[in-house]
Amino acid sequence: YANCKIFQCVDEICPPDMRFIARPSSCMAIQLKQDGKKYRLGRHVSFVDCPGHEALMQSMLGGAAVMDAAILLCAANEPCPAPQTLEHLSAAECLGLPN
């Protein structure tokens, strides 16, 4: 997995390409200043590869318990929904993640 922090521009006028910036999760700042713009911490994001095999579902559910959102990616060259995809959708429903 990988982590990062997303900061949002709080200035009244902020060009679209400067509205958000990312920093490593090790960045301890809550507010930043870059190119004369002020930014506030918006989100701490983790990118996690959740295995689909049923033997690993318990581990996946343990990690997913602290998630407040998810993006489900499926291989375009495989039938969808695959059994593990259905398991992940069921887990997201159990955790109350909105769709």
Side-chain angles (χ1 to χ4, degrees), residues 22-67:
R23 292 291 179 267
S25 61
S26 59
C27 176
M28 299 306 288
I30 296 174
Q31 295 182 347
L32 295 174
K33 202 168 194 183
Q34 178 176 309
D35 298 327
K37 303 285 182 203
K38 295 177 188 174
Y39 292 86
R40 181 183 67 234
L41 179 62
R43 282 264 189 199
H44 190 167
V45 180
S46 295
F47 302 91
V48 182
D49 180 9
C50 296
H53 192 275
E54 70 231 18
L56 301 171
M57 284 302 287
Q58 185 174 0
S59 296
M60 190 276 293
L61 287 171
V66 297
M67 296 179 187

Side-chain angles (χ1 to χ4, degrees), residues 35 43 77 80 87 96:
D35 298 327
R43 282 264 189 199
N77 62 345
C80 188
E87 290 175 353

